[in-house]
Amino acid sequence: MAGCIETMFYNGISTPSIGFGTWQAKDDELEQALNNALEAGYRHIDTATVYENEKVIGKVLKKWIDSGKLKRDDLFIVTKLPPCGNRPSGVATYLQRSLDDLQLDYVDMYLIHTPFAFIECGDMHPMKDGKIMLDMNTDHVATWKVMEEQVDAGKAKAIGLSNFNITQISKVLEHARIKPANLQIELHAYHQQVPLVDYAKKHGIVVTAYSPLGAPGLSKFMEDMNQKAPKMPNILDNPVVDEIAKKHNKSPAQVVLRHGVQKGLIVIPKSTNPGRLRQNLDIFDFELDENDMSKLNGLNKDARFLDFKVFPGITEHPEYPWKKE
Ligand code: NAP
């Protein structure tokens, strides 16, 4: 992709700083969108066992690789250990399941999706009496050891964490033989996570911003889970973003994505719309100046949109990462 900025991890592996998010994208819609995304130039794909879309992704990737249009090496594939597999005995099983579904021999990045865990019962989100069924015995250090074994076995090029807080990351770092390379967290103009990003940078961990557009599709997910969607401000309607977008002749989405990339983050916007997914990639032919950056930095209001409270009872888990918020 022309002019694309690359991000390098501490272990020398690098990836395009923009990836294709796939949460809430499935079946035929995703198949079409992923074809469009690969045509447009996306090479970094973000998925997870819980998105239940790895088979579709695997089918599309296989076609591209078999046809010779792409080599496996051209791609950067990220997937994640689900909360129901978040224990030492779950790691190899769930990673192998992802590899089988993705039709790959290895993933480029394997992340522990959340610091909390659900019980293992074959259901991604096991519920009983209206509450999520938590496994309270989560041991990050023990699970991390098995994550490291996946790198040794060549099944993951690198490993990392998602939705962990500073205390949780520091505990993993203290005991790690192979350091986490990547931290994937909610990060957008309204939730810039400055202390966590600074901490990660200090420890050589690359940060990936999920929901970089402020997750305008989140209310649909809440409704699908039979939950009332909170009223969330839409970053893409913010007048400051709009003014900067007009100045550069770009869209608000392109401005907030460029803001993330210029701060040294990887951004992984999701779109299944052919025009919008191309637009999101087209952020390497302009630069935000210091004044733009400081105005965008000033939009931060520590507004977390995705706190997983859609799963009733989740805050009772000892490793729920945002107890103090
Ligand atoms: P997002 O990328 O911030 O927003 C996606 C929403 O924005 C979709 O509704 C999309 O609709 C719309 N959109 C996309 N491009 C747009 C544009 N240019 N203008 C206006 N609207 C646009 O939110 P997200 O899906 O929550 O986050 C992105 C990815 O991060 C996910 O797909 C997933 O891969 C990852 N993620 C990880 C975690 C985790 O726990 N680790 C959690 C959440 C997300 P259309 O598709 O119709 O364009």
Side-chain angles (χ1 to χ4, degrees):
M1 156 196 359
C4 176
I5 297 172
E6 290 266 325
T7 300
M8 189 175 285
F9 299 94
Y10 75 81
N11 58 3
I13 295 174
S14 67
T15 177
S17 303
I18 183 155
F20 183 65
T22 66
W23 181 40
Q24 292 182 275
K26 281 191 188 174
D27 309 325
D28 292 350
E29 185 193 33
L30 175 59
E31 186 172 341
Q32 187 58 53
L34 184 54
N35 275 308
N36 289 335
L38 293 170
E39 288 290 354
Y42 285 92
R43 293 295 177 261
H44 173 146
I45 318 289
D46 183 78
T47 181
T49 301
V50 297
Y51 303 166
E52 297 181 318
N53 61 16
E54 289 171 310
K55 280 192 179 150
V56 178
I57 295 175
K59 181 177 152 192
V60 174
L61 295 182
K62 185 165 169 25
K63 271 196 190 150
W64 276 70
I65 292 169
D66 284 355
S67 71
K69 276 163 84 179
L70 267 186
K71 295 193 295 296
R72 172 64 185 91
D73 282 6
D74 299 330
L75 295 162
F76 191 90
I77 308 297
V78 183
T79 193
K80 314 183 190 90
L81 177 69
C84 66
N86 186 351
R87 60 190 60 78
S89 63
V91 177
T93 312
Y94 274 100
L95 176 53
Q96 190 55 52
R97 175 179 147 169
S98 289
L99 291 172
D100 292 346
D101 288 350
L102 291 163
Q103 304 193 51
L104 299 174
D105 298 328
Y106 67 89
V107 290
D108 297 275
M109 185 66 69
Y110 197 50
L111 305 176
I112 301 181
H113 202 148
T114 60
F116 47 78
F118 305 155
I119 62 142
E120 172 65 274
C121 67
D123 191 337
M124 282 294 133
H125 303 116
M127 303 286 290
K128 192 177 174 198
D129 302 330
K131 285 179 101 174
I132 191 80
M133 297 172 79
L134 299 170
D135 172 358
M136 301 294 205
N137 299 312
T138 310
D139 180 345
H140 295 151
V141 174
T143 303
W144 189 254
K145 278 199 165 36
V146 191
M147 293 287 285
E148 292 171 330
E149 288 166 14
Q150 306 315 302
V151 179
D152 298 337
K155 298 200 168 200
K157 293 276 181 208
I159 46 180
L161 305 167
S162 179
N163 296 302
F164 277 51
N165 64 27
I166 290 180
T167 309
Q168 293 164 332
I169 301 166
S170 69
K171 190 163 176 202
V172 172
L173 276 175
E174 198 187 320
H175 294 90
R177 173 170 60 85
I178 301 176
K179 259 184 14 174
N182 187 205
L183 173 68
Q184 188 178 123
I185 48 173
E186 177 181 340
L187 203 159
H188 43 74
Y190 288 163
H191 193 37
Q192 300 192 29
Q193 304 244 45
V194 177
L196 187 50
V197 172
D198 287 349
Y199 177 85
K201 280 194 178 154
K202 192 170 136 207
H203 292 276
I205 302 172
V206 168
V207 175
T208 298
Y210 77 63
S211 307
L213 303 171
L218 188 59
S219 42
K220 183 187 170 297
F221 171 71
M222 303 284 283
E223 279 152 22
D224 289 350
M225 297 292 290
N226 297 320
Q227 302 259 338
K228 200 170 165 303
K231 182 114 190 70
M232 289 176 309
N234 188 342
I235 293 166
L236 306 180
D237 290 340
N238 184 290
V240 173
V241 176
D242 193 48
E243 174 206 311
I244 297 172
K246 287 201 171 90
K247 172 175 150 187
H248 292 280
N249 204 16
K250 287 283 174 183
S251 73
Q254 289 170 319
V255 165
V256 294
L257 294 173
R258 179 76 204 187
H259 179 227
V261 166
Q262 267 185 235
K263 290 203 298 184
L265 307 168
I266 295 172
V267 293
I268 49 170
K270 173 263 168 187
S271 181
T272 42
N273 173 284
R276 286 193 287 272
L277 68 83
R278 270 196 303 276
Q279 177 197 126
N280 294 344
L281 200 57
D282 183 20
I283 57 168
F284 299 105
D285 62 350
F286 77 113
E287 201 165 336
L288 299 168
D289 60 31
E290 250 178 64
N291 193 23
D292 301 330
M293 289 299 282
S294 103
K295 279 186 183 165
L296 292 164
N297 290 343
L299 296 181
N300 186 26
K301 46 183 160 181
D302 294 331
R304 183 183 300 287
F305 295 159
L306 201 70
D307 57 12
F308 291 84
K309 288 182 188 160
V310 67
F311 304 118
I314 192 74
T315 57
E316 289 162 31
H317 194 281
E319 296 290 355
Y320 180 75
W322 310 300
K323 281 197 197 290
K324 290 194 193 102
E325 287 180 12

